[in-house]
Amino acid sequence: MRFDVVSIFPEYLAPLDLSLIGKARTDGLLELNVHDLRTYTKDRHRTVDDTPYGGGAGMVMKPEPWAQALTEIAETSPASVPERKPTLIVPSPAGEVFTQKLAYELSEEVHLVFACGRYEGIDERVLEWAGEQFTVRAVSLGDYVLNGGEVAVLAMVEAIGRLVPGVVGNPESLIEESHSDGLLEYPVYTKPSSWREREVPEVLLSGNHGKIAKFRREHQLRRTATRRPDLIDALDVSSFSKTERNI
Ligand SMILES: COc1ccc2nc(C(=O)O)sc2c1
């Protein structure tokens, strides 16, 4: 999978050189190109923003540098073929909320392009114009506001990239993590079995895989019901045992 990110702060994306995503890039499983939006300006001051029509606080990102940057990326896209377009993701507080389900959906794409807004956002006409060359999606990390799109892109590239086959060493670790089955993950423990007078739950030392699986499932349900009752409402409980329904 290829990622392209356009930002006025390209150095913000440096953490994607590290760890799993960095290794996947070295191994050729992922490609990541970071572009400085100011490269696509034409004036001496490399201007990327201006005052908002209609008044109001702050500045708005000018449309033309974005059009220049996105056109160059689309022209080299492996997804720019008949019947297919690359996906342009615009992080925005006004976007659909990013979820593990969306991460899985996007991990199937060949080419994802991220446009990192700053100031009060990007001129809306860019998103309309980009629809000719891209499938455009405004996406938010959640119900809070950042100062720009870069932090959201770091989170999304990691969440999506790790789902690409081969990036995570043991694909089984993707199966039992939070949100993979609609539930939060169970609590985990390691040595020592006794730590500051706190013991690891005895069942986890029993070697009884059936009982261990039951313990873990019950704790997933209990944790989800306590911390994210909204996820419980979205579950298909018809597959739950009588005991599980009463947790
Ligand atoms: C101007 O660009 C922004 C500003 C805030 C913001 N907040 C996001 C979020 O996902 O919370 S994405 C994003 C982009």
Side-chain angles (χ1 to χ4, degrees):
M1 174 187 282
R2 172 178 158 181
F3 296 103
D4 283 82
V5 184
V6 184
S7 168
I8 60 171
F9 296 123
E11 61 276 18
Y12 231 111
L13 286 305
L16 296 176
D17 296 336
L18 307 172
S19 188
L20 270 182
I21 300 300
K23 184 177 183 305
R25 292 170 64 191
T26 306
D27 295 347
L29 288 170
L30 301 177
E31 177 187 347
L32 173 70
N33 308 302
V34 180
H35 311 264
D36 183 344
L37 182 67
R38 294 190 193 277
T39 308
Y40 300 92
T41 59
K42 300 276 195 284
D43 66 304
R44 188 158 59 93
H45 298 293
R46 310 183 80 197
T47 308
V48 292
D49 63 314
D50 206 331
T51 54
Y53 279 117
M59 304 290 272
V60 174
M61 301 191 92
K62 295 170 65 65
E64 188 54 25
W66 283 107
Q68 295 291 329
L70 295 175
T71 298
E72 181 180 281
I73 292 168
E75 284 171 350
T76 62
S77 172
S80 291
V81 293
E83 308 306 313
R84 190 161 191 160
K85 294 189 279 191
T87 295
L88 173 65
I89 296 174
V90 184
S92 164
E96 61 182 294
V97 176
F98 187 66
T99 62
Q100 190 68 4
K101 180 172 181 285
L102 182 52
Y104 270 106
E105 179 188 330
L106 294 173
S107 71
E108 302 286 326
E109 292 292 331
V110 169
H111 187 196
L112 296 178
V113 184
F114 294 87
C116 297
R118 279 275 155 174
Y119 312 108
E120 299 309 310
I122 302 171
D123 186 305
E124 189 66 20
R125 291 170 293 179
V126 173
L127 281 74
E128 296 162 8
W129 163 86
E132 297 160 19
Q133 304 169 87
F134 299 89
T135 299
V136 182
R137 298 182 80 156
V139 181
S140 168
L141 281 192
D143 295 336
Y144 50 83
V145 181
L146 303 168
N147 288 327
E150 288 81 4
V151 166
V153 170
L154 285 172
M156 287 190 266
V157 167
E158 177 157 315
I160 296 162
R162 65 194 294 276
L163 300 177
V164 172
V167 172
V168 170
N170 177 5
E172 282 194 19
S173 60
L174 296 175
I175 295 168
E176 292 194 331
E177 59 188 12
S178 282
H179 303 290
S180 59
D181 57 0
L183 294 173
L184 301 185
E185 58 196 10
Y186 49 76
V188 291
Y189 304 84
T190 188
K191 301 178 185 64
S193 63
S194 181
W195 175 74
R196 294 193 180 199
E197 297 175 14
R198 295 175 184 277
E199 309 304 316
V200 169
E202 196 65 35
V203 66
L204 297 181
L205 309 178
S206 69
N208 182 322
H209 297 296
K211 287 185 176 178
I212 291 169
K214 184 170 181 293
F215 168 89
R216 287 174 166 173
R217 173 78 174 177
E218 284 176 6
H219 280 264
Q220 276 189 281
L221 288 164
R222 196 167 297 147
R223 190 176 256 193
T224 307
T226 307
R227 297 178 184 177
R228 290 292 306 275
D230 58 300
L231 296 180
I232 293 286
D233 299 341
L235 287 174
D236 171 14
V237 294
S238 62
S239 64
F240 284 23
S241 70
K242 191 174 177 190
T243 310
E244 288 176 339
R245 291 184 201 189
N246 293 325
I247 287 174

